[in-house]
Amino acid sequence: MAVIFEIIKKEFYQIRQDKRMMIVSFFVPVMQVVLLGYTATTDITNSAMVVCDMDRTAESRAFVEKFTTSNYFIPKFAVNKPEEVTPYIDAAKANIAVVIPKGFARKLFSRETAQVQVILDGADANTANILLNYATQIVTSYSRQVVAKYASIGAGMSPILPEPRVWFNPDLKSSNFMVPGVVAMVLMIITMTLTSVGVVKEKEIGTLEQILVTPIKSYQFILGKLIPFVIIGFIDTIIVLAVAHYWFGVPLVGSLPLLFGLSALFLLTTLGLGLFISTIAKSQGQAMMIAQFFFFMPFLFLSGFTFPIANMPEWIQYLTYLIPLRYFLEIVRGIFLKGTDLTHLWTQAAALLAFGVVILGLSVMRFRKTME
């Protein structure tokens, strides 16, 4: 332990002496939170929808069909009771639910206001806003169509009044969706970059060769190099959480200890990838380029951080299951906005554990071979 502790002290000393490393470690995360917190996402199509039709009349079926033919919604699930909608929204299997009460058709013909309930998953504020606008337009269009149709035959019809309900993010703030995702991005970028650059720097200045001829064992060197970046990663996470809460006002509904615990699983993957990059890069610049083009960009585009996975081609959606960041984003946003606990996040946690053990294990084996 004494040897590992001395390596950790040396690593922190090098980081403190390197101004560029200090900027990357602590200034960049804050900048990412601020910038990404104000960014917007793209339009949404083909969103999964839950339908609860308790009226079961020709008018209610025609109303649902208006949604399904709009190319904005796909009726993936049908339930019989309003309370059965909850599991689909909680598990993020559907973004929107439409509840048509009994007496829907009767109220249309009796000139009463026919109300329908539209339930939205507000965790992604931008998506919820767009879907709410789509739903409102569809309801308004159907109402005018029905009124015009029956007015032509002399029958009086009443307009339909939607009652929107937005869960998890009632104010529909985009920052509430984007900022929690920055936690995942900061952990990935900081730990992967610092790990790869830190080890490669040892090669460039020649200290790695000096360490190899000392009695220091490979596992001691690896732990001594990785532990400081773990500490820095968690410090950055605390900074990001503080900015998210006090600057953007993002609520943390779920468990903070659970968030840190599952973050540790994600760190297994990022540290492993950083260690792997250090074994193939010959300079710090090369390590940065490899990390950016082969890991940061694919993870950013395929994880759901920037673009909704539901909008991607089907074959790419299957490819996203190979991206560890996808699972961690679901964890972070679930804990932040929905208060999701481990009983609903165990599949994502298991996936991160599997990725972490395999990637870190293989990277350590490769690194030890390069040291021998």
Side-chain angles (χ1 to χ4, degrees):
M1 286 299 297
V3 174
I4 297 176
F5 181 70
E6 290 300 321
I7 297 176
I8 293 174
K9 285 174 57 180
K10 178 187 75 67
E11 196 64 30
F12 275 119
Y13 176 78
Q14 288 182 341
I15 294 173
R16 188 181 63 182
Q17 295 297 110
D18 192 336
K19 294 182 179 180
R20 292 177 300 176
M21 190 73 76
M22 290 289 291
I23 292 174
V24 172
S25 301
F26 301 108
F27 175 73
V28 171
V30 176
M31 182 179 65
Q32 287 178 330
V33 177
V34 175
L35 293 179
L36 294 177
Y38 292 108
T39 59
T41 57
T42 58
D43 293 339
I44 307 300
T45 58
N46 299 323
S47 292
M49 182 175 71
V50 183
V51 177
C52 179
D53 184 2
M54 296 186 291
D55 196 50
R56 298 183 182 277
T57 59
E59 286 72 24
S60 65
R61 288 191 291 271
F63 178 74
V64 173
E65 186 178 359
K66 196 74 174 178
F67 276 81
T68 59
T69 57
S70 66
N71 294 326
Y72 298 132
F73 307 101
I74 299 177
K76 286 192 173 182
F77 310 102
V79 298
N80 299 316
K81 300 177 181 178
E83 55 267 26
E84 294 175 353
V85 167
T86 303
Y88 295 99
I89 303 295
D90 282 347
K93 294 181 178 179
N95 303 107
I96 185 172
V98 176
V99 179
I100 305 173
K102 292 181 179 179
F104 173 82
R106 177 185 57 79
K107 289 183 177 181
L108 287 178
F109 288 103
S110 62
R111 297 187 180 183
E112 298 180 33
T113 299
Q115 296 180 328
V116 295
Q117 190 176 55
V118 179
I119 301 173
L120 297 165
D121 183 350
D124 182 346
N126 185 70
T127 298
N129 266 315
I130 294 172
L131 295 183
L132 178 58
N133 289 333
Y134 291 160
T136 302
Q137 292 173 14
I138 291 171
V139 172
T140 302
S141 174
Y142 177 80
S143 178
R144 291 174 180 173
Q145 177 183 328
V146 171
V147 170
K149 175 182 177 181
Y150 286 93
S152 65
I153 60 175
M157 299 294 292
S158 179
I160 304 168
L161 178 64
E163 292 184 353
R165 296 289 188 273
V166 180
W167 292 355
F168 311 126
N169 187 9
D171 297 329
L172 294 177
K173 294 181 178 179
S174 296
S175 58
N176 285 7
F177 177 73
M178 292 299 296
V179 174
V182 178
V183 175
M185 292 298 298
V186 166
L187 271 179
M188 181 185 72
I189 293 175
I190 295 301
T191 55
M192 193 186 303
T193 300
L194 294 184
T195 301
S196 59
V197 171
V199 177
V200 172
K201 185 177 180 180
E202 299 279 4
K203 296 180 182 179
E204 288 187 324
I205 62 179
T207 55
L208 183 59
E209 288 77 6
Q210 298 176 10
I211 293 175
L212 293 179
V213 298
T214 65
I216 297 177
K217 297 180 180 179
S218 58
Y219 81 89
Q220 294 175 325
F221 177 75
I222 293 172
L223 286 176
K225 295 293 291 186
L226 296 185
I227 290 176
F229 304 133
V230 173
I231 296 173
I232 292 174
F234 279 111
I235 292 175
D236 286 334
T237 301
I238 295 173
I239 294 173
V240 171
L241 291 176
V243 174
H245 181 70
Y246 294 106
W247 188 327
F248 291 100
V250 180
L252 179 60
V253 181
S255 169
L256 187 60
L258 178 62
L259 177 59
F260 277 99
L262 297 182
S263 297
L265 296 182
F266 184 60
L267 284 177
L268 295 177
T269 297
T270 59
L271 293 174
L273 291 175
L275 195 61
F276 171 75
I277 293 171
S278 71
T279 63
I280 59 178
K282 297 181 180 180
S283 65
Q284 297 181 60
Q286 194 176 69
M288 292 287 289
M289 293 290 289
I290 293 173
Q292 179 178 352
F293 288 104
F294 290 96
F295 296 102
F296 295 161
M297 292 181 65
F299 280 27
L300 180 67
F301 295 140
L302 297 177
S303 63
F305 178 80
T306 305
F307 308 109
I309 294 176
N311 279 8
M312 301 176 186
E314 186 175 358
W315 69 273
I316 293 184
Q317 292 185 34
Y318 287 114
L319 188 62
T320 62
Y321 289 105
L322 300 177
I323 306 298
L325 183 60
R326 168 184 175 149
Y327 304 98
F328 191 55
L329 283 175
E330 293 176 358
I331 288 173
V332 172
R333 287 167 174 162
I335 294 176
F336 251 97
L337 301 177
K338 301 181 180 181
T340 311
D341 55 25
L342 190 58
T343 58
H344 294 90
L345 296 173
W346 71 268
T347 53
Q348 290 89 342
L352 286 181
L353 179 61
F355 275 113
V357 170
V358 172
I359 293 175
L360 184 58
L362 293 176
S363 298
V364 169
M365 290 174 58
R366 178 178 173 82
F367 185 79
R368 293 182 66 175
K369 288 183 179 180
T370 60
M371 291 184 64
E372 294 174 356

